[in-house]
C-alpha cells in the first residue's frame, strides 16, 4: 500500500508538472504584452509595453523615455507598465524595425533617418542646415510637417505616436579638424542609415559606412572610420572622444526620433488605455522639448572639460560655405518628398534665419 501511494504521488506530480510546463505562452498573454499581475490588487491583468531604443539613459531620448514610463504608469494606476531597454540591450538600430513590425517589442524610438529608409517622405527632417535653431525644429515637429509624417503611417503596421527631440549634430574626427567643406575630402565616416545622410557626405567627397550605433565606438577604436556625426549627449555618453581628437561644433543637422508602436498591439488596447498612452507620450514630448537643450548643454560642459579633445566652432562664414556645398541635397530630396513639404521647410528656415 505504501509503495502504491508513493507511485501515485509521482504520477500526480508528473501530471501537474506537464500541465505547468507545457502550457502555451501566448494563452497567458506573454507574447501579446498582457500579463497577469498578482501584486496589483484589483487588477486581473497588467499591460506591459516593451520599449527598445539604442541611446544611453542620460540622453534626451533616454530621459524622455523614463518620463513617459512614469507618466503612463501614473495615469493608469499601475495597469500599464513600460519596460525600458536602452543602449541596444534588446535590439539595435539594424533590427529594431523588424522587432516592432513583428511584435517582438511593442515600441521603438528610431532616429528619423532610419524611418526614412521605409517611408522616404521622412527624409525632409534630415536635410542639412534645415533648422537654424531649436524654435525651427519645434515648428517643424509640431506643425504641418510633423503632422503629415505621422499621418503618413496611418495605413501601415506601425503607429506613429509623436516626434521626440534629440539635439543638433556635430562632427568628430581623429586625424584633423573639420573647418571647410574641402576638409571632408577622402575621409571615411560612420553614419546611420538614411539616403539624405549618405548624399550629404557624398557631396562633401567623403565615403561612409552604415554602422549600428552600439558598434560605433569599436569601429572608432580600430580606426575603421575616421569620424562620425552625432549629438553632444551621444558623443559624451558613448565616450567617442576616447578615439576622436577633434570636435567641430557645426549644428549641420538635427537628430530627432519617431515614436512608433506596433499597430496590432495598439488596436488591441482598450480605448481608455490608448487615450492614456497618447496623453503620456505628448506630455513626455513637451518635457523632452524643454529639457533636451539642457541635457545637451550638460554634456557639452563635460566634453569641454576633456583636455584631450580639441573643439572648433564654425563661424558664420564657414557655415555658409557648408550650406552652399550641400545645397544639391535639397534638389534630390524634393523629388522624393514633393514641392509642398519642401516649401514648408524652406519657409520655416527663412522665418528662423541664421
Amino acid at each position: 500500500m505504501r509503495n502504491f501511494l508513493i507511485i501515485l504521488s509521482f504520477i500526480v506530480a508528473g501530471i501537474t508538472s506537464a500541465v505547468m510546463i507545457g502550457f502555451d505562452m501566448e494563452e497567458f498573454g506573454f507574447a501579446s504584452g498582457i500579463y497577469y499581475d498578482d501584486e496589483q490588487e484589483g487588477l486581473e491583468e497588467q499591460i506591459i509595453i516593451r520599449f527598445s531604443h539604442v541611446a544611453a539613459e542620460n540622453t534626451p531620448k533616454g530621459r524622455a523615455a523614463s518620463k513617459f514610463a512614469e507618466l503612463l504608469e501614473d495615469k493608469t494606476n499601475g495597469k500599464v507598465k513600460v519596460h525600458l531597454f536602452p543602449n541596444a540591450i534588446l535590439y539595435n538600430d539594424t533590427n529594431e524595425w523588424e522587432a516592432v513590425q513583428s511584435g517582438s517589442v511593442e515600441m521603438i524610438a528610431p532616429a528619423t533617418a532610419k524611418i526614412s529608409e521605409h517611408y522616404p517622405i521622412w527624409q525632409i527632417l534630415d536635410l542639412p542646415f534645415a533648422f537654424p535653431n531649436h524654435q525651427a525644429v519645434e515648428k517643424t515637429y509640431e506643425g504641418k510637417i510633423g503632422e503629415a509624417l505621422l499621418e503618413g503611417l496611418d495605413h501601415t503596421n506601425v503607429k506613429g505616436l509623436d516626434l521626440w527631440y534629440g539635439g543638433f549634430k556635430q562632427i568628430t574626427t581623429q586625424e584633423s579638424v573639420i573647418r571647410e567643406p574641402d576638409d571632408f575630402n577622402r575621409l571615411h565616416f560612420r553614419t546611420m542609415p538614411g539616403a539624405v545622410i549618405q548624399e550629404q557626405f557624398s557631396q562633401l567627397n567623403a565615403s561612409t559606412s552604415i554602422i549600428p550605433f552600439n558598434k560605433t565606438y569599436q569601429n572608432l577604436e580600430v580606426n575603421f572610420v575616421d569620424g562620425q556625426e552625432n549629438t553632444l549627449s551621444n558623443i559624451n555618453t558613448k565616450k567617442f572622444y576616447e578615439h576622436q581628437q577633434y570636435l567641430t561644433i557645426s549644428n549641420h543637422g538635427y537628430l530627432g526620433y519617431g515614436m512608433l508602436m506596433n499597430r496590432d498591439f495598439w488596436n488591441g488596447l482598450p480605448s481608455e488605455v490608448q487615450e492614456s498612452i497618447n496623453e503620456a507620450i505628448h506630455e513626455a514630448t513637451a518635457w523632452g522639448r524643454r529639457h533636451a537643450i539642457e541635457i545637451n548643454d550638460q554634456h557639452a560642459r563635460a566634453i569641454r572639460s576633456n583636455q584631450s579633445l580639441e573643439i572648433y566652432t564654425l563661424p558664420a562664414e564657414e557655415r555658409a560655405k557648408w550650406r552652399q556645398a550641400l545645397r544639391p541635397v535639397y534638389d534630390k530630396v524634393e523629388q522624393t518628398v514633393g514641392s509642398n513639404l519642401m516649401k514648408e521647410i524652406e519657409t520655416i528656415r527663412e522665418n528662423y534665419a541664421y
Side-chain angles (χ1 to χ4, degrees):
M1 182 67 179
R2 183 165 175 252
N3 290 339
F4 172 76
L5 291 175
I6 292 173
I7 293 170
L8 181 61
S9 66
F10 274 114
I11 293 173
V12 172
I15 294 172
T16 303
S17 297
V19 171
M20 294 301 294
I21 295 172
F23 60 70
D24 184 350
M25 295 289 282
E26 292 191 7
E27 290 182 7
F28 287 78
F30 286 97
S32 66
I34 300 178
Y35 293 72
Y36 178 74
D37 178 19
D38 59 1
E39 295 181 356
Q40 297 290 324
E41 185 177 351
L43 294 181
E44 294 183 356
E45 58 186 20
Q46 185 173 68
I47 298 172
I48 301 296
I49 297 175
R50 293 164 294 182
F51 184 174
S52 174
H53 67 86
V54 303
E57 293 162 293
N58 190 26
T59 60
K61 178 163 67 174
R63 297 272 296 278
S66 296
K67 189 66 176 178
F68 166 67
E70 173 190 322
L71 287 167
L72 185 55
E73 184 173 349
D74 181 63
K75 288 178 180 295
T76 60
N77 295 316
K79 180 178 177 64
V80 182
K81 282 194 174 184
V82 180
H83 288 181
L84 298 173
F85 299 92
N87 289 304
I89 59 176
L90 197 59
Y91 295 99
N92 63 30
D93 48 9
T94 62
N95 56 24
E96 64 180 358
W97 183 266
E98 289 74 18
V100 79
Q101 297 266 47
S102 66
S104 297
V105 293
E106 286 71 49
M107 191 172 177
I108 62 172
T112 57
K114 298 165 192 171
I115 301 174
S116 72
E117 282 192 291
H118 308 278
Y119 304 101
I121 192 175
W122 284 68
Q123 290 178 13
I124 196 167
L125 297 181
D126 292 302
L127 284 167
F129 295 103
F131 307 113
N133 50 42
H134 295 283
Q135 290 75 24
V137 178
E138 180 181 349
K139 179 66 175 177
T140 302
Y141 278 24
E142 302 186 26
K144 294 180 181 178
I145 293 177
E147 291 175 3
L149 298 181
L150 292 172
E151 288 174 1
L153 301 176
D154 280 352
H155 301 291
T156 73
N157 60 345
V158 294
K159 177 175 176 59
L161 296 171
D162 214 337
L163 288 163
W164 273 7
Y165 297 83
F168 282 100
K169 293 189 288 185
Q170 323 301 342
I171 295 285
T172 68
T173 49
Q174 176 58 22
E175 297 300 326
S176 59
V177 66
I178 300 292
R179 293 187 174 89
E180 300 195 1
D182 288 346
D183 295 332
F184 285 90
N185 190 43
R186 302 183 70 178
L187 293 180
H188 186 200
F189 286 84
R190 175 270 169 184
T191 71
M192 67 177 71
V196 172
I197 295 175
Q198 306 310 309
E199 183 62 29
Q200 165 189 285
F201 282 101
S202 177
Q203 289 294 327
L204 297 169
N205 298 312
S207 62
T208 60
S209 287
I210 297 173
I211 297 172
F213 180 59
N214 65 321
K215 301 295 183 182
T216 302
Y217 181 93
Q218 294 94 313
N219 282 272
L220 294 173
E221 184 177 26
V222 299
N223 296 316
F224 177 71
V225 292
D226 299 306
Q228 59 86 50
E229 61 170 11
N230 236 303
T231 62
L232 292 174
S233 60
N234 283 343
I235 292 168
N236 191 47
T237 57
K238 295 302 181 183
K239 300 182 179 181
F240 294 158
Y241 53 79
E242 292 185 348
H243 302 290
Q244 298 280 270
Q245 188 172 346
Y246 302 97
L247 167 64
T248 300
I249 303 297
S250 54
N251 291 343
H252 63 280
Y254 193 84
L255 178 57
Y257 310 99
M259 311 312 299
L260 306 180
M261 180 170 282
N262 177 276
R263 190 173 292 278
D264 289 337
F265 174 78
W266 171 266
N267 289 339
L269 294 172
S271 59
E272 64 272 14
V273 172
Q274 292 179 345
E275 183 178 347
S276 294
I277 291 174
N278 278 327
E279 290 177 359
I281 202 79
H282 296 324
E283 289 179 27
T285 298
W287 185 94
R289 182 182 64 242
R290 294 194 303 270
H291 288 83
I293 300 172
E294 172 192 339
I295 294 168
N296 277 295
D297 284 346
Q298 291 171 356
H299 289 288
R301 290 192 291 272
I303 287 173
R304 291 184 187 280
S305 68
N306 188 333
Q307 300 299 315
S308 66
L309 194 63
E310 183 178 318
I311 301 173
Y312 180 77
T313 301
L314 282 186
E317 59 271 19
E318 288 177 356
R319 184 182 295 111
K321 291 180 182 179
W322 285 42
R323 291 177 61 192
Q324 182 63 32
L326 292 168
R327 184 64 205 182
V329 179
Y330 280 69
D331 299 330
K332 292 194 175 184
V333 171
E334 184 170 2
Q335 299 172 20
T336 300
V337 306
S339 59
N340 289 338
L341 283 184
M342 286 299 294
K343 288 178 182 176
E344 184 70 22
I345 199 78
E346 293 277 14
T347 299
I348 291 172
R349 187 171 67 170
E350 291 172 5
N351 289 342
Y352 296 92
Y354 289 94

